[in-house]
Amino acid sequence: MASNVSHPYYPRGMHLPHYRENTLSLQYILTVGLGAFAVIYALAWILLKRDRYGRTLAQGEKASLCWFGLCGFIHMILEGYLTLTSASIAGSDHILAQMWKEYAKGDSRYVSNDTCTIVMETITAWLEGPGCLLTVWAFTTRHPMRYVMQLAVSIGQTYGVLIYFITEYYDDFAHGPLFHPVYFWLYVIGFNAPWVILPPIFIRQSWQELNKAQRALDKANGFMPPSDGQGKSKKKK
């Protein structure tokens, strides 16, 4: 069967017989997509003011919770849509499908129903997505599991972005025009950069807080001598 090359994706001979060209312009897609992300973040910023005890959230903590709230919606809505329509997305005119078809100009795995990509996105959408929202709830209610949830979600996000880039590296970046100013640097690198940078920061913070909590528990249970609060035992002179 002859390959269908009437599409903008790489590799050029990829078979996409059901592909339909986008009806929406690049400017419209980016405006709607980035605008929606900005609105979600802004609404989260407005709504997340105090914890369950009425205490005002610190600015840094508030920004972090807005990030997790935004991630929850991105994972469940945008990536969730992909997982449910991956076999037919290349021929759809739905606005979410057109967003993915535009992004796929940098990484065609998102329109070719690539098994590894869809499995990864399914875990992200339906496990990490709700996990992000649960993390927001845990912090605003001061639930004891809050740093456990932050650690679990952030490890999942870090794992996902590593799989994303490592698998493409081993495929010699064959699914898009390498070093293209828009399709590679903006779509592949730029749009994924937040998940490269922020989750490791939250992993480190969670690690520190959980270690602090375990140290206090060990001290209370008599597993370690009293300390000066920095993990150093006080010795009698």
Side-chain angles (χ1 to χ4, degrees), residues 75-76 121-133 149 153:
H75 293 335
M76 290 192 296
E121 292 293 357
T122 299
I123 295 171
T124 300
W126 307 118
L127 187 60
E128 293 174 23
C132 286
L133 300 185
M149 285 304 307
V153 169

Side-chain angles (χ1 to χ4, degrees), residues 3 26 29 58 75-76 85 130 137 143 162 172 178 189 204 210 235:
S3 295
L26 169 61
I29 291 173
H75 293 335
M76 290 192 296
T85 63
W137 173 84
H143 196 282
L162 286 174
D172 295 323
L178 189 61
I189 302 300
R204 182 176 184 272
L210 291 172
K235 297 181 179 180

Side-chain angles (χ1 to χ4, degrees), residues 99-230:
M99 287 181 181
W100 280 117
K101 285 194 288 182
E102 180 59 35
Y103 177 79
K105 292 176 182 177
D107 187 349
S108 65
R109 294 178 294 177
Y110 285 84
V111 293
S112 63
N113 201 24
D114 177 77
T115 300
C116 180
T117 301
I118 299 306
V119 169
M120 177 188 70
E121 292 293 357
T122 299
I123 295 171
T124 300
W126 307 118
L127 187 60
E128 293 174 23
C132 286
L133 300 185
L134 186 58
T135 299
V136 175
W137 173 84
F139 271 89
T140 54
T141 60
R142 300 304 177 194
H143 196 282
M145 71 174 179
R146 58 189 182 273
Y147 283 107
V148 176
M149 285 304 307
Q150 179 175 275
L151 179 63
V153 169
S154 298
I155 288 176
Q157 291 177 329
T158 299
Y159 178 79
V161 81
L162 286 174
I163 291 295
Y164 175 82
F165 282 111
I166 291 172
T167 53
E168 185 64 354
Y169 170 78
Y170 276 103
D171 283 337
D172 295 323
F173 293 94
H175 300 98
L178 189 61
F179 303 132
H180 188 283
V182 175
Y183 302 145
F184 180 78
W185 289 114
L186 177 60
Y187 291 4
V188 175
I189 302 300
F191 287 169
N192 288 288
W195 285 275
V196 174
I197 298 169
L198 295 178
I201 295 175
F202 293 121
I203 289 173
R204 182 176 184 272
Q205 181 192 41
S206 300
W207 181 275
Q208 292 173 331
E209 292 297 328
L210 291 172
N211 270 278
K212 187 188 302 182
Q214 186 64 55
R215 186 181 298 116
L217 182 61
D218 287 347
K219 179 180 176 181
N221 289 334
F223 296 151
M224 60 185 297
S227 71
D228 60 2
Q230 302 298 321

